Amino acid sequence: MQRLCLLVGAEGECAPALRDVFKSHDIRAVTVGDAQAAASLLEQIRVDAVVLNADAFGNAAFDALRVLVEQRCAPVIVLATARDEIDQILALELGAADFIAKPASPRFVVAKVKRLIGGEAAALNPLATSAELGPVHMAGDLTTLTVGQTTLRLTRVEFAMLRLLLVRYGHAVSRETTAKFIGSAGNGGGGGRSIDALVSRIRCRLR
């Protein structure tokens, strides 16, 4: 059976080259413009892998990644121009199966996809977006937080903020990184005062 790979946001010059190389490896590549359309397609057909061109989504790239990971149907590879290591770390922590930094040749991208789909099905972790630290467990639904025996429902922005702090436990997190991360969860700008207010609100919820 021919394998199928979704190329999300890979419109333009790189898409034809990727499709040609995939075809030479007996993998059919289908280009989809946005994450929501890809999610709808994932509900209808079996897909072996997803390649997300994060650059096409700008500041909403993490949100697009969440939409695809939540489907839990196929491993997602993020293809992006990484400005710093934190982008790669966050992508992986949010459930991406791999991260490819641009520039990367179509052959390299296809090699990464082949490595994923050639392995066992267990390569896709159904709880890839969950995390734990001590008594705190953050569920894969991106809203549920459990502390000991107590379960809380957080907003997506509150969850994203706490998730970032948990992932980076023991390391300093800049305001710029924080603003970018919670902004992708739907908070808009995420300026200094709004970040402080968000932290205060989370502390109150945890109490």
Side-chain angles (χ1 to χ4, degrees), residues 148-167:
Q149 300 299 315
T150 303
T151 299
L152 297 174
R153 279 283 185 178
L154 303 180
T155 66
R156 289 181 69 88
V157 174
E158 290 171 342
F159 188 98
M161 177 70 184
L162 194 57
R163 180 79 169 79
L164 172 62
L165 296 177
L166 185 148
V167 168

Side-chain angles (χ1 to χ4, degrees), residues 6-207:
L6 284 189
L7 307 178
V8 183
E11 298 285 358
E13 298 179 0
C14 67
L18 278 171
R19 282 197 295 265
D20 287 345
V21 178
F22 272 114
K23 185 178 180 180
S24 69
H25 288 270
D26 199 28
I27 300 173
R28 182 187 174 201
V30 176
T31 303
V32 184
D34 60 78
Q36 293 295 343
S40 298
L41 194 58
L42 286 170
E43 294 176 353
Q44 302 172 37
I45 62 175
R46 181 182 179 278
V47 173
D48 295 287
V50 178
V51 175
L52 172 65
N53 178 30
D55 291 352
F57 297 91
N59 292 332
F62 286 129
D63 204 39
L65 175 59
R66 288 191 189 94
V67 170
L68 296 172
V69 169
E70 284 174 12
Q71 295 299 308
R72 300 175 181 173
C73 297
V76 181
I77 296 178
V78 175
L79 177 64
T81 304
R83 291 182 295 276
D84 52 43
E85 188 182 58
I86 189 66
D87 289 338
Q88 301 184 45
I89 292 173
L90 291 178
L92 295 172
E93 290 291 345
L94 283 173
D98 207 341
F99 188 104
I100 301 176
K102 294 182 181 178
S105 71
R107 286 183 176 276
F108 184 78
V109 175
V110 173
K112 286 281 192 176
V113 170
K114 286 184 64 180
R115 182 185 64 82
L116 279 178
I117 65 179
E120 299 296 327
L124 177 62
N125 181 0
L127 297 177
T129 55
S130 66
E132 280 190 66
L133 180 64
V136 179
H137 175 80
M138 306 191 78
D141 63 5
L142 305 179
T143 58
T144 304
L145 171 72
T146 303
V147 184
Q149 300 299 315
T150 303
T151 299
L152 297 174
R153 279 283 185 178
L154 303 180
T155 66
R156 289 181 69 88
V157 174
E158 290 171 342
F159 188 98
M161 177 70 184
L162 194 57
R163 180 79 169 79
L164 172 62
L165 296 177
L166 185 148
V167 168
R168 298 295 293 162
Y169 177 74
H171 301 275
V173 182
S174 70
R175 285 184 177 274
E176 179 183 0
T177 295
T178 303
K180 179 171 64 175
F181 192 65
I182 66 175
S184 70
N187 191 47
R193 291 186 177 180
S194 63
I195 291 174
D196 292 341
L198 181 59
V199 170
S200 296
R201 191 163 76 235
I202 293 172
R203 283 175 173 167
C204 290
R205 294 293 302 279
L206 291 177
R207 291 195 190 102

